[in-house]
Amino acid sequence: MTIENNRQLSKNTIMLKTFRIGGIHPPENKLTAGKKIVDLALPKQVIIPLGQHIGAPAQPIVNKGDTVKVGTLIAKAGGFVSANIHSSVSGKVNKIDVAIDASGYRKPAVFIDVIGDDWEDTIDRSDTLVKECNLSSKEIIDKIAAAGVVGMGGAQFPTQVKLLPPPGNKAELVIINGVECEPYLTADHSLMLEKSEEILVGVTILMKAVNVKKAVIGIENNKKDAIAKLTKLAASYPGIEIQPLQMKYPQGGEKQLIDAIIRRQVKSGALPISTGAVVQNVGTCFAIYEAVIKNKPLIERVVTVTGKAVKNASNFRVRIGTQISELIEAAGGVPENTGKIISGGPMMGKALVNTEVPITKGGSGVLLINKNESKRQPMHECIRCAKCVNACPMGLNPTLLMNATEFGNWELAEKNFITDCIECGSCSYTCPAYRPLLDNIRYGKAKVSAIIRARKK
Amino acid sequence: MILIAVITLGIIGAIGAVFLYAVSRKFEVYEDPRIGQVQEVLPGANCGGCGYPGCSGFAAACIKADTLDGLLCSVGGDVVMARVATILGKDAAKSEPKVAVVRCNGTCEARPRTNVYDGTHRCSVESALYGGETGCSYGCLGYGDCVEACKFDAIHINPVTMIAEVDEDKCTSCGACVKACPKGIIELRKKGPKSRRIYVSCMNKDKGAIARKACANACIGCGKCLKECQFEAITITSNLSYIDFNKCRMCRKCVAVCPTGAIHELNFPPRKAEPAAAPEAKAAVKVEAQAAPATKSVEAKTVAKTEPAAPVTPAEKPEAVKEAPKAADNNNEIQPK
Amino acid sequence: MENNLYVSPSPHIHGGDSISKNMYGVLIALIPAFLVSLYFFGLGALIVTCVSVVSCVAFEYLITKYLLKREATISDGSAILTGVLLAFNLPSNLPFWIIIIGALAAIGIGKMSFGGLGRNIFNPALVGRVFLLISFPAQMTTWPVVDALQAFPMTYTDANTGATVLHLIKQGGQHLPDYTSLLIGMKGGSLGEVCALALLLGFIYLLWKKIISWHIPVAIIGTVFIFTGIMYLVNPVTYVNPVYHILSGGLLLGAIFMATDYVTSPMSHAGMIVYGVGIGLLTSLIRLFGSYPEGMSFAILIMNALTPLIDTYIKSKHFGGK
């Protein structure tokens, strides 16, 4: 039985919108809500992975020994679906070597020794808010691409690709994801409170880039201060609307958010743009503002370091490439009996093998869980209670898909839309028999996708 | 009264029989009788190792083909192919018997754990998630996807080393385990004369220092074996050495010079111990246990553990470490096939 | 890292639900019905329930441990639940050796022969009950009468017996008790089926704790109401008022507690409705036109067999339609 946090549901939740199929209510544990963003001290070395986005890894254009400044381009996009990577510090390139990243595998990365904090001259470091943007749509998209902006909600999808819909699809509105439905994380919340106007300007730039007149910012109802502040400020920005949403996980999923806000469901196998919506995270909007107005490439982000036993849980502003050990130190060190260290939130984040893993563009949080809560319980037989079926936001049957995967019945898995799974984890969360549903579905998804690709060839 | 019943039923039965006979003749599917004959001499395991759907599929393919070149029942081997050839009046191509080889020696002792995996205990799931519980992301994970795939009970996970081990007497080289391993560790290699074979028991492509830190038995890509081989059987790509089993002449020189003991020689007689060179001391020969790998039989007579770190001087050789004299190996040249 | 971290795929938190929580939740929902049965049937109720629960748990333990050579699964509470539900389907004067045979049939045939919890096709308690009904028809159809003046009667196999409401309906529908008696349980019947109010209380509890959804019970009760209602309208002399049908026999017990068993019922809401309608139709047909007065057990068992078919063809609503 899911523990419903009734305190958080206000009286008007019945009237608030939310997505229509499935969903769960994990306890929020927003331990760092309301904490001001703290700039983390510069580390001695940064490790910048070359594969911080969906698509082909970037190709390095610097060599060992090169001097770089903050904002220097160090790797070029390796294809259409790829992104540029910039140095987040000033100093000397130590080496280009492999390093373990959040995937648990060693991937190529650029190691830079930090010397001082010199920025590229083109970057405007002032804090003054600039509202006007006179660039054309194409110029905006080019600037976003040059700055290496990717989806900062965690998906890390190169933004410029999303802003260029494939032929046959037309954007009707922009939906901004201010939902932050994962428990514990508050990076987006603090950004919405401290950089509200910048985000709104970023939204208008985005609207210009895709040529739409309407934008809706979806924010879950547990962030009432953000809703109030943004609603007040949005009054002076034509076309931008703030929509409070009922709290439910995974409201921040792109398809679920589109369903919640405009009541349209993306068909199986189709792209979200087919519903006319372009969805971006608030952090990405802020990065767009900085890229287009301040000529600042994506080199830092807000990360929530949290956990029930963490002494100084906070929201830190961190340079890309900083090792997680630095963040944990600043938050009071690794607590006793820590069992798991997770990059991201507890539902979709990745458990790390050690703390030398660097923060990437999509790393929104570092969560430390103690040993007792880390170990999984032993699993039982499926009792066909169908709680997973009710929880699945995509309307799938997780226990059937797990069975199909275990027995290698790929036809059955494909017929039951295993490729539609968004890997949110709601099924494993609800299962009373502690079955590792998502583990198997993920494996089945990969297998079936490979079969489909081979068929198309 | 009974007579009437008997006659009635008898007539009904007769009519039914005639009807069935007529139908069976009318709708009969012609099947080449040779398919049945060939299928009889096949092992009947339906393992798919030949690449055809079951033994009947293979039989049909044999009959259709002009020659039996390229058609091999790996389970039955040359004996069965010879019988098939006799039935069909075609020539059977000779083939080298192959066996599955697990190219990893990252035992629990040699390859320390750096984290604890708590997910579903399947190699494919763990491999998709991250690099594994140790510093080597290429090595055997020990959860036995290969064991599940094997229909001949020929591969098991050794409970002490947590590495898959092949029982060469039962292995039919059908290739199921090769397909099942998500890391591609298992390879079908020639069984070799007298079942002797040499292979690099490592898949680690990381740089030498990283590989060695992760596992004491790793191939560090140092190239000593490459220099030593006179038959051009060794290639080194991405910090990993590979021995081509078609070119290897079993001289065992590479085994002798390997500093980490990553190259294994199987089923060779023990070498004479030589007090001389220190580098050889590291090249401990590993003659692997073949019988009953699933039981906890880590007998000292067959298994010699490699030294993890310190170079062993000739004086302090532990039990059963066999040394590799450089010269006296010519008697172990290839036997005629 | 000094201490080794755990690494597993996401999600890293769990909602805390477990099989035993659900089983014990159902047991709690059955408490009102149990208290009423103690009040009306007294010692008999206590003995029947205890014997049933103890034998079910014992058989499951013995079979799992010694026959199947697996870990014992009695701690998940499903054996206790089967024991209680089996007991609630039996008359309170049933000799204990028959109960033990019933428990063996329920657990051994109905559950363990299929492979244990999660793998059975038929509701184990109903398998036990139907087995007993067919093997011991005399003992299984002599129902003790309820004497409201005497709470907790100390009778067991020597209780006074009489006809149940369904028997009366089958025989022509004369001298039926009034609605109040039906609601509070002053009628003959098995342990658990007599008090409609207690069962409805249990239903509300199950809905509140989200252990079951409303679809199956509402579909069953609705279908029975409509079908028997139509027949009543067609011929009010031969057929009784649909409310009698709802309140009598094992309908409420079956609809709320037996048909909603997780393992044997469909997984999608649409499938559950089809399942419920099927049970309702079959129950009504057997009650009105069959020779058995009670049709619920057979109806549920038949629809249990159709559940995999329902699950294959009726799936839950998929995102994006189709």
Side-chain angles (χ1 to χ4, degrees):
Chain A
M1 226 120 23
T2 54
I3 305 162
E4 203 131 349
N5 262 328
N6 288 309
R7 285 175 277 130
Q8 270 86 11
L9 293 175
S10 74
K11 270 184 288 225
N12 341 343
T13 354
I14 320 295
M15 309 304 293
L16 291 179
K17 292 188 184 179
T18 185
F19 56 98
R20 290 172 281 178
I21 298 181
I24 53 170
H25 297 93
E28 287 175 27
N29 288 318
K30 300 276 187 185
L31 309 170
T32 46
K35 288 217 171 164
K36 282 209 152 338
I37 302 175
V38 172
D39 281 303
L40 192 70
L42 289 177
K44 295 209 180 41
Q45 189 188 66
V46 293
I47 305 175
I48 304 183
L50 293 173
Q52 290 185 50
H53 45 261
I54 292 185
Q59 300 301 320
I61 56 171
V62 290
N63 297 307
K64 180 170 170 163
D66 285 357
T67 312
V68 291
K69 290 195 191 168
V70 180
T72 311
L73 181 69
I74 56 173
K76 267 190 138 72
F80 177 57
V81 182
S82 187
N84 287 342
I85 299 189
H86 300 78
S87 172
S88 57
V89 292
S90 62
K92 254 206 169 103
V93 175
N94 182 311
K95 59 179 171 171
I96 301 181
D97 197 1
V98 286
I100 295 195
D101 66 359
S103 76
Y105 282 98
R106 289 198 179 85
K107 297 270 167 70
V110 179
F111 292 65
I112 305 178
D113 293 323
V114 181
I115 306 172
D117 194 21
D118 298 320
W119 290 60
E120 289 278 347
D121 304 320
T122 44
I123 301 178
D124 173 359
R125 294 195 69 187
S126 70
D127 268 338
T128 36
L129 177 73
V130 175
K131 290 193 187 185
E132 300 80 28
C133 167
N134 297 316
L135 302 174
S136 72
S137 158
K138 180 167 184 330
E139 287 166 337
I140 293 176
I141 297 180
D142 285 340
K143 262 196 131 164
I144 292 175
V149 179
V150 301
M152 315 245 316
Q156 300 181 147
F157 190 78
T159 307
Q160 79 275 9
V161 180
K162 218 185 224 184
L163 300 181
L164 293 167
N169 294 296
K170 189 167 147 18
E172 284 173 34
L173 84 159
V174 161
I175 296 180
I176 306 296
N177 186 347
V179 165
E180 201 152 45
C181 54
E182 282 256 20
Y184 291 100
L185 300 185
T186 55
D188 288 350
H189 186 185
S190 49
L191 202 64
M192 284 194 285
L193 285 175
E194 294 184 30
K195 299 281 180 193
S196 334
E197 290 239 45
E198 285 88 342
I199 291 175
L200 290 171
V201 177
V203 176
T204 48
I205 298 175
L206 196 53
M207 287 159 72
K208 206 164 180 197
V210 288
N211 277 318
V212 297
K213 298 274 185 299
K214 186 162 148 99
V216 180
I217 306 185
I219 306 180
E220 269 193 346
N221 210 30
N222 56 349
K223 300 183 242 300
K224 290 205 176 46
D225 45 3
I227 296 176
K229 184 159 189 198
L230 282 173
T231 311
K232 207 167 90 169
L233 292 171
S236 43
Y237 289 85
I240 300 185
E241 205 186 290
I242 310 291
Q243 172 70 53
L245 296 167
Q246 207 186 101
M247 269 146 46
K248 201 156 59 158
Y249 176 86
Q251 191 122 240
E254 193 169 7
K255 298 182 182 174
Q256 277 60 44
L257 190 60
I258 297 177
D259 185 31
I261 300 221
I262 56 173
R263 274 292 193 262
R264 284 183 212 163
Q265 290 183 341
V266 179
K267 295 230 176 319
S268 174
L271 288 172
I273 186 66
S274 60
T275 57
V278 173
V279 182
Q280 293 290 351
N281 179 280
V282 284
T284 318
C285 287
F286 179 64
I288 290 176
Y289 166 81
E290 298 212 296
V292 173
I293 303 284
K294 307 279 180 177
N295 298 319
K296 184 171 157 196
L298 183 50
I299 49 121
E300 62 185 9
R301 66 158 298 141
V302 180
V303 179
T304 306
V305 181
T306 178
K308 292 194 189 138
V310 175
K311 292 197 199 70
N312 182 23
S314 323
N315 300 307
F316 291 117
R317 181 172 287 111
V318 167
R319 299 286 172 98
I320 304 289
T322 308
Q323 289 176 295
I324 287 189
S325 45
E326 308 268 342
L327 283 95
I328 300 180
E329 276 311 306
V334 179
E336 281 275 322
N337 284 325
T338 296
K340 259 187 188 169
I341 300 184
I342 297 168
S343 165
M347 293 299 294
M348 290 181 77
K350 296 206 86 160
L352 303 173
V353 299
N354 59 34
T355 52
E356 284 151 32
V357 178
I359 288 281
T360 57
K361 294 177 182 176
S364 46
V366 177
L367 171 61
L368 290 93
I369 299 188
N370 100 351
K371 267 209 169 73
N372 301 338
E373 294 178 40
S374 304
K375 188 113 177 60
R376 286 183 174 186
Q377 300 255 24
M379 75 176 208
H380 297 272
E381 286 290 330
C382 171
I383 59 170
R384 297 172 45 87
C385 64
K387 291 192 184 197
C388 58
V389 180
N390 291 332
C392 178
M394 296 301 288
L396 307 174
N397 187 332
T399 184
L400 173 67
L401 294 176
M402 174 168 170
N403 271 338
T405 305
E406 277 187 320
F407 291 103
N409 190 345
W410 310 122
E411 265 178 48
L412 185 65
E414 190 181 342
K415 230 173 63 156
N416 284 283
F417 307 107
I418 195 174
T419 43
D420 280 356
C421 170
I422 59 172
E423 300 185 23
C424 67
S426 305
C427 49
S428 295
Y429 180 86
T430 30
C431 180
Y434 292 92
R435 286 176 77 70
L437 296 164
L438 186 56
D439 293 10
N440 287 280
I441 294 178
R442 244 195 222 111
Y443 173 62
K445 231 177 117 178
K447 262 289 195 304
V448 171
S449 305
I451 293 176
I452 295 178
R453 267 198 305 269
R455 205 188 295 150
K456 285 211 180 114
K457 278 213 208 103
Chain B
M1 288 289 102
I2 289 191
L3 198 58
I4 298 180
V6 169
I7 293 174
T8 320
L9 283 174
I11 293 175
I12 294 176
I15 296 176
V18 168
F19 178 68
L20 279 172
Y21 180 72
V23 169
S24 80
R25 285 256 68 113
K26 178 154 196 302
F27 292 109
E28 183 178 339
V29 172
Y30 176 74
E31 193 190 72
D32 189 333
R34 295 180 295 168
I35 294 184
Q37 287 172 336
V38 171
Q39 225 179 311
E40 264 199 48
V41 301
L42 292 177
N46 287 318
C47 67
C50 53
Y52 293 95
C55 297
S56 58
F58 181 65
C62 286
I63 290 169
K64 250 209 216 130
D66 294 324
T67 79
L68 291 179
D69 277 333
L71 286 165
L72 167 67
C73 169
S74 55
V75 181
D78 275 347
V79 174
V80 162
M81 289 317 291
R83 289 198 200 131
V84 173
T86 323
I87 296 178
L88 297 179
K90 299 179 188 162
D91 290 317
K94 288 261 169 208
S95 64
E96 282 275 341
K98 285 199 175 166
V99 74
V101 171
V102 176
R103 295 175 294 167
C104 175
N105 196 24
T107 62
C108 286
E109 225 184 276
R111 186 168 51 132
R113 233 189 200 177
T114 55
N115 59 73
V116 180
Y117 176 65
D118 194 29
T120 306
H121 283 197
R122 284 178 72 171
C123 308
S124 42
V125 175
E126 186 182 348
S127 175
L129 175 69
Y130 75 131
E133 289 182 295
T134 63
C136 170
S137 57
Y138 302 87
C140 176
L141 296 169
Y143 285 119
D145 278 15
C146 50
V147 179
E148 245 190 80
C150 181
K151 290 201 184 112
F152 302 97
D153 194 34
I155 187 168
H156 299 94
I157 303 286
N158 182 319
V160 175
T161 62
M162 296 304 284
I163 305 267
E165 282 177 5
V166 176
D167 180 348
E168 65 175 31
D169 295 320
K170 290 189 184 161
C171 175
T172 61
S173 67
C174 69
C177 57
V178 179
K179 278 196 215 103
C181 177
K183 304 256 181 211
I185 294 174
I186 311 182
E187 189 188 14
L188 288 178
R189 293 175 73 91
K190 277 204 203 140
K191 210 165 183 179
K194 294 197 190 167
S195 289
R196 291 177 184 169
R197 45 193 176 277
I198 301 181
Y199 58 96
V200 178
S201 190
C202 180
M203 296 295 290
N204 191 310
K205 298 198 177 67
D206 286 334
K207 288 218 194 93
I210 302 179
R212 189 67 178 69
K213 191 162 159 219
C215 172
N217 300 334
C219 167
I220 54 177
C222 64
K224 288 209 179 120
C225 51
L226 179 63
K227 269 192 235 125
E228 200 60 29
C229 183
Q230 299 157 322
F231 305 104
E232 295 181 356
I234 296 188
T235 42
I236 299 196
T237 14
S238 308
N239 307 305
L240 179 65
S241 171
Y242 177 75
I243 299 177
D244 181 348
F245 52 82
N246 287 314
K247 294 192 182 152
C248 174
R249 317 281 228 122
M250 316 267 191
C251 68
R252 298 204 273 170
K253 294 204 175 132
C254 54
V255 183
V257 295
C258 177
T260 59
I263 305 186
H264 288 196
E265 55 179 40
L266 222 53
N267 298 329
F268 285 86
R271 298 170 204 248
K272 293 195 272 297
E274 200 183 82
E280 271 82 80
K282 277 231 167 172
V285 168
K286 238 178 147 46
V287 180
E288 283 176 3
Q290 295 144 262
T295 60
K296 300 189 193 336
S297 59
V298 188
E299 269 106 33
K301 77 166 167 63
T302 44
V303 177
K305 289 259 178 247
T306 18
E307 303 310 301
V312 176
T313 62
E316 43 164 73
K317 274 176 285 207
E319 19 60 5
V321 170
K322 283 142 181 108
E323 294 314 322
K326 265 200 161 134
D329 269 351
N330 298 324
N331 2 342
N332 287 340
E333 284 302 330
I334 23 148
Q335 315 289 321
K337 289 203 186 139
Chain C
M1 282 301 294
E2 321 70 42
N3 58 340
N4 280 345
L5 293 175
Y6 283 100
V7 177
S8 71
S10 62
H12 307 283
I13 51 174
H14 190 273
D17 198 4
S18 65
I19 298 180
S20 33
K21 268 209 187 113
N22 286 295
M23 296 295 154
Y24 290 119
V26 180
L27 285 171
I28 293 175
L30 284 168
I31 288 178
F34 183 57
L35 293 174
V36 169
S37 77
L38 281 180
Y39 182 85
F40 285 132
F41 298 108
L43 187 66
L46 190 61
I47 295 181
V48 168
T49 312
C50 290
V51 171
S52 177
V53 170
V54 169
S55 9
C56 280
V57 172
F59 282 127
E60 177 158 317
Y61 180 75
L62 292 170
I63 294 177
T64 337
K65 210 84 208 271
Y66 298 108
L67 262 180
L68 298 176
K69 304 230 191 323
R70 281 194 239 154
E71 289 253 345
T73 50
I74 50 176
S75 57
D76 61 14
S78 58
I80 302 177
L81 185 58
T82 304
V84 171
L85 285 175
L86 175 64
F88 280 15
N89 272 299
L90 305 173
S92 68
N93 59 354
L94 200 63
F96 69 88
W97 55 276
I98 297 187
I99 304 175
I100 295 177
I101 294 177
L104 183 59
I107 297 288
I109 303 177
K111 191 166 156 193
M112 299 323 272
S113 66
F114 290 101
L117 184 64
R119 298 191 177 180
N120 46 305
I121 304 180
F122 300 105
N123 188 316
L126 285 178
V127 169
R129 176 203 156 120
V130 167
F131 183 87
L132 288 182
L133 182 64
I134 297 180
S135 316
F136 305 101
Q139 291 95 324
M140 282 292 287
T141 49
T142 43
W143 306 96
V145 287
V146 171
D147 188 353
L149 296 171
Q150 194 191 13
F152 201 84
M154 293 298 288
T155 52
Y156 176 31
T157 42
D158 47 337
N160 290 333
T161 59
T164 61
V165 181
L166 284 179
H167 268 115
L168 294 173
I169 292 176
K170 202 74 182 172
Q171 283 155 12
Q174 321 296 339
H175 313 298
L176 293 171
D178 59 329
Y179 288 153
T180 326
S181 320
L182 287 179
L183 273 174
I184 62 170
M186 280 192 24
K187 59 187 188 205
S190 69
L191 290 183
E193 69 188 29
V194 288
C195 180
L197 273 179
L199 293 170
L200 287 172
L201 265 177
F203 184 41
I204 295 174
Y205 179 80
L206 290 178
L207 286 178
W208 175 48
K209 285 291 185 185
K210 290 200 169 60
I211 297 180
I212 62 172
S213 65
W214 56 265
H215 302 78
I216 296 179
V218 168
I220 297 177
I221 297 174
T223 312
V224 171
F225 190 86
I226 292 175
F227 192 92
T228 51
I230 292 174
M231 295 314 294
Y232 176 66
L233 288 174
V234 163
N235 189 343
V237 174
T238 333
Y239 302 109
V240 294
N241 193 307
V243 181
Y244 274 112
H245 277 284
I246 307 277
L247 292 178
S248 56
L251 186 77
L252 283 175
L253 178 68
I256 300 170
F257 292 98
M258 319 290 289
T260 52
D261 173 40
Y262 287 146
V263 183
T264 52
S265 56
M267 292 204 268
S268 57
H269 290 311
M272 286 177 181
I273 305 262
V274 170
Y275 174 77
V277 167
I279 294 179
L281 271 174
L282 285 168
T283 304
S284 315
L285 284 172
I286 298 177
R287 278 190 181 181
L288 298 180
F289 307 115
S291 53
Y292 272 105
E294 174 57 274
M296 198 66 183
S297 339
F298 299 109
I300 296 180
L301 286 177
I302 293 173
M303 289 311 289
N304 281 162
L306 288 179
T307 297
L309 192 68
I310 295 176
D311 268 337
T312 309
Y313 288 107
I314 304 181
K315 307 261 166 141
S316 47
K317 198 144 168 286
H318 175 235
F319 192 90
K322 204 195 127 338

